[in-house]
Amino acid sequence: MSEPKKLYIKTYGCQMNVYDSERMAEALGGEGYVETKSHDDADMILLNTCHIREKAAEKVYSELGRFKGLKAEKPDLKIGVAGCVAQAEGEEIMRRQPLVDLVVGPQSYHRLPEMEAKTRAGEKALDTDFPEEDKFEKLKSRPKAKRGPTAFLTVQEGCDKFCAFCVVPYTRGAEVSRPADRIIREANELVERGVREITLLGQNVNAYHGVGPNGDMTLAQLIWELDKVDGLERIRFTTSHPNDMMDDLIEAHGTCSKLMPYLHLPVQAGSDKILKRMNRSHTAESYLQLIERIRAARPDIVMSGDFIVGFPEETEEDFQATLDLVEQVKYGYAYSFKYSTRPGTPAAERPQVDSVEADDRLQRLQATITRHQREIQDGMVGREVSVLFEKPGRFDDQMVGKSEYLHAVHVTGSGAQIGDIARVKIVSSGANSLAGEVIR
Ligand code: 5AD
Ligand code: SF4
């Protein structure tokens, strides 16, 4: 038998890219590839790229440039670019960096095996189509090998919202939901391989409307189907849009015990003027009312969000409205970004905010978010949580896992194994994690 070829995948960006990289590795596994952690011994290098913020493409080009020496030493080495930069730049990548053999957009991953064969025949392979066929169905299914206790599972891709700053509707295309039976089958396979927690992924996951046995299903209905999967203990989903937060999903947060009390619900800004210009089609007030309803269903839920500061024409007053909203919601986690101009999006044409001013706002917003995050984390001390153990800690007999609220929790001397779920009493709160004791 011939030596397996080695595949090195570097993943940038969001959780969906992490999932896609896993699936690409599995697809190429069928072509005799095994994964390697170093590009030095690879026969194929794949960069799975992200285009959400500035300089992403430039970073990819500089990373590619670093492979020049390696490719000169190893002419058989194949280099590919996948993900959203591949979609956005297309053929331009091969023109600017001739060492690239393969460019594949996110909707064409199922064609990777043929594309790889083409590169082996000495040809270049490019595919940035939005094909009709279901790529996940065509992709080689996950092999039965054992894996860690948590996994991502993409249920929906693309976005029709067209927020004025965002490239996703262009790079990932229109919203498409996977049929429910395929998702449930994949969840069962993951559970057979040792998975106990699944995070359902979608750029607009709560707009899920995949085909079910009796017509289209909502995300909540899909969650209730997954709730029936024996051995699956925890369900999460990300990322949601406020306008798609349907009643049945809010209710599920109160009634579905496998659905974890954590919700990532980006609002982006707190000023109605800016929200309108962002084309968000919700107001600060409607968002706050929504949070109230979610908290009524699940009072202990930990909220998470995304923010953009320095969006075109944002004044100090607009920014203060964002700070006010953050004070009202009190996020357990939040990701805040300085606006970055994405060519081709409507906001790129608007008057831009001074960069130094935007940096200053970002710092102030992050200070507020960090303060809340601390308060919420510290507030866990003395409480009982459930922890799913994911890996050994740094010290002897120490295990690390995540609580239902997604806090990292360390436990020492409990004898817990990876994949165990235990009740834990939190005894202290550290820089980025909690420490606790298993309740016997
Ligand atoms: N500039 C800054 N942040 C952005 N995001 C999306 N596009 C941009 C942009 N052009 C942020 C949003 C989104 C998160 C994934 O990235 O907050 O929710
Ligand atoms: Fe981008 Fe999310 Fe807006 Fe869609 S809803 S355009 S993915 S920010």
Side-chain angles (χ1 to χ4, degrees):
M1 233 174 84
S2 62
E3 277 276 295
K5 289 174 282 185
K6 293 202 172 134
L7 171 68
Y8 172 72
I9 305 192
K10 182 163 179 178
T11 307
Y12 301 79
C14 64
Q15 294 157 327
M16 193 172 283
N17 269 9
V18 174
Y19 175 83
D20 285 347
S21 290
E22 280 177 19
R23 300 297 309 265
M24 285 193 277
E26 284 163 11
L28 289 170
E31 308 303 307
Y33 280 91
V34 294
E35 270 193 276
T36 167
K37 294 212 178 322
S38 143
H39 53 70
D40 289 328
D41 63 349
D43 298 289
M44 177 164 220
I45 296 175
L46 259 187
L47 302 183
N48 190 7
T49 61
C50 169
H51 202 237
I52 198 95
R53 277 172 291 278
E54 222 161 8
K55 303 202 183 86
E58 291 315 310
K59 268 190 223 151
V60 172
Y61 285 116
S62 83
E63 181 84 26
L64 287 168
R66 290 176 35 209
F67 297 137
K68 257 190 190 144
L70 201 61
K71 180 107 174 174
E73 276 169 37
K74 245 176 134 172
D76 281 346
L77 169 67
K78 300 299 172 196
I79 297 180
V81 180
C84 292
V85 173
Q87 189 65 43
E89 299 269 301
E91 219 172 326
E92 175 66 14
I93 298 180
M94 289 169 173
R95 216 171 296 137
R96 260 186 75 175
Q97 186 44 275
L99 60 73
V100 173
D101 302 284
L102 181 155
V103 173
V104 60
Q107 301 313 327
S108 304
Y109 292 156
H110 55 296
R111 296 178 176 164
L112 258 180
E114 295 109 79
M115 293 175 77
E116 189 270 345
K118 210 169 156 191
T119 66
R120 292 281 152 217
E123 288 175 54
K124 301 255 180 198
L126 168 82
D127 195 332
T128 51
D129 291 348
F130 286 95
E132 286 291 309
E133 68 260 26
D134 178 348
K135 71 168 172 197
F136 292 118
E137 210 32 32
K138 303 255 163 168
L139 269 170
K140 288 241 157 40
S141 68
R142 294 166 179 241
K144 296 277 173 266
K146 190 110 177 100
R147 51 168 297 156
T150 64
F152 295 130
L153 202 176
T154 292
V155 302
Q156 175 279 335
E157 261 192 289
C159 181
D160 297 336
K161 296 280 191 291
F162 289 92
C163 297
F165 48 81
C166 185
V167 289
V168 165
Y170 310 95
T171 56
R172 291 272 172 173
E175 243 175 48
V176 180
S177 295
R178 296 178 67 194
D181 58 345
R182 294 176 192 169
I183 295 166
I184 290 157
R185 191 179 67 209
E186 196 171 324
N188 274 297
E189 284 165 8
L190 286 167
V191 169
E192 279 165 29
R193 294 170 62 195
V195 168
R196 306 196 76 189
E197 172 180 306
I198 291 180
T199 302
L200 306 175
L201 298 181
Q203 263 97 23
N204 224 307
V205 73
N206 56 343
Y208 176 82
H209 55 92
V211 181
N214 308 308
D216 278 6
M217 285 172 81
T218 62
L219 183 66
Q221 288 167 335
L222 179 69
I223 288 169
W224 281 112
E225 284 306 307
L226 291 167
D227 183 69
K228 296 182 197 153
V229 174
D230 266 350
L232 177 62
E233 305 296 341
R234 291 174 155 199
I235 304 167
R236 303 179 186 276
F237 60 91
T238 196
T239 290
S240 296
H241 191 289
N243 291 4
D244 293 315
M245 217 48 222
M246 299 306 167
D247 290 349
D248 60 349
L249 189 55
I250 297 176
E251 207 182 297
H253 272 290
T255 49
C256 178
S257 60
K258 291 188 183 177
L259 187 56
M260 294 292 102
Y262 168 94
L263 179 63
H264 184 64
L265 194 63
V267 63
Q268 311 296 356
S271 142
D272 287 344
K273 176 191 101 190
I274 294 298
L275 286 170
K276 195 159 191 239
R277 291 183 189 180
M278 285 178 163
N279 192 30
R280 291 287 297 177
S281 57
H282 60 76
T283 61
E285 188 51 37
S286 68
Y287 179 82
L288 289 170
Q289 282 171 1
L290 178 59
I291 303 256
E292 232 171 76
R293 287 172 52 218
I294 296 163
R295 286 195 166 137
R298 182 77 203 227
D300 62 339
I301 201 162
V302 167
M303 294 301 305
S304 155
D306 288 345
F307 292 89
I308 295 180
V309 300
F311 184 79
E313 299 165 281
E314 182 191 70
T315 62
E316 176 61 25
E317 199 187 339
D318 294 321
F319 174 66
Q320 284 299 330
T322 299
L323 287 181
D324 287 349
L325 181 141
V326 169
E327 288 292 351
Q328 288 188 63
V329 175
K330 261 191 126 183
Y331 292 90
Y333 306 83
Y335 307 88
S336 45
F337 310 99
K338 182 176 159 183
Y339 170 72
S340 86
T341 315
R342 311 311 294 129
T345 58
E349 313 297 324
R350 310 291 301 170
Q352 305 292 308
V353 170
D354 175 68
S355 172
V356 176
E357 181 61 42
D359 282 332
D360 177 65
R361 288 179 195 164
L362 185 61
Q363 268 190 16
R364 285 187 282 154
L365 175 60
Q366 286 180 341
T368 307
I369 289 168
T370 307
R371 175 164 52 82
H372 291 160
Q373 209 164 323
R374 260 270 50 99
E375 282 171 22
I376 292 172
Q377 194 191 297
D378 293 350
M380 292 288 161
V381 176
R383 284 178 61 179
E384 272 182 31
V385 297
S386 107
V387 176
L388 168 58
F389 292 103
E390 293 177 17
K391 56 183 184 203
R394 268 190 295 145
F395 302 106
D396 270 359
D397 207 11
Q398 190 186 48
M399 291 293 282
V400 193
K402 294 270 169 59
S403 78
E404 56 272 64
Y405 307 104
L406 217 55
H407 288 118
V409 180
H410 289 80
V411 168
T412 308
S414 69
Q417 303 293 310
I418 291 174
D420 287 354
I421 296 179
R423 295 295 298 167
V424 170
K425 178 151 187 184
I426 301 300
V427 293
S428 66
S429 173
N432 296 307
S433 63
L434 297 164
E437 288 161 1
V438 170
I439 299 164
R440 308 258 167 213

